[in-house]
Amino acid sequence: QGSSSWQEVRSSLSGTGDDEATAVQCPADTTMTSCSCFSPSGSCDGARMRGSSCVAYNKFGGLGVFAQAICLRIPGASAWEVVVSWETEELRAEVACPTG
């Protein structure tokens, strides 16, 4: 079975201080599949999934940001895990799924 529905959810606007955060969560019956930062003024300083939340950060001198997540209802899905690795010196990011 494929996903029966998806939705985008967005947080309230963050504060304007350096690294001020804002967060949003997916509805209880959905799974977060994407997390990103949105700012019409270009104020994003990154976003990440933290637990069940999508957290976005405002950059120094920024005017505020929104966290936005894509949430899917996936019948029969359970035990989701976020797996991320990165190397800061090379600014390279990789994502891999666990076996099984």
Side-chain angles (χ1 to χ4, degrees), residues 11-75:
S11 70
S12 57
L13 185 66
S14 74
T16 57
D18 186 27
D19 290 327
E20 282 207 50
T22 186
V24 68
Q25 292 185 327
C26 287
D29 61 341
T30 64
T31 299
M32 186 182 307
T33 60
S34 174
C35 171
S36 60
C37 181
F38 169 73
S39 173
S41 60
S43 299
C44 289
D45 196 19
R48 66 178 175 171
M49 290 183 196
R50 176 177 274 174
S52 61
S53 296
C54 173
V55 184
Y57 301 91
N58 186 62
K59 72 179 183 181
F60 177 79
L63 302 176
V65 299
F66 297 93
Q68 60 185 30
I70 302 295
C71 309
L72 268 67
R73 183 172 292 111
I74 305 172

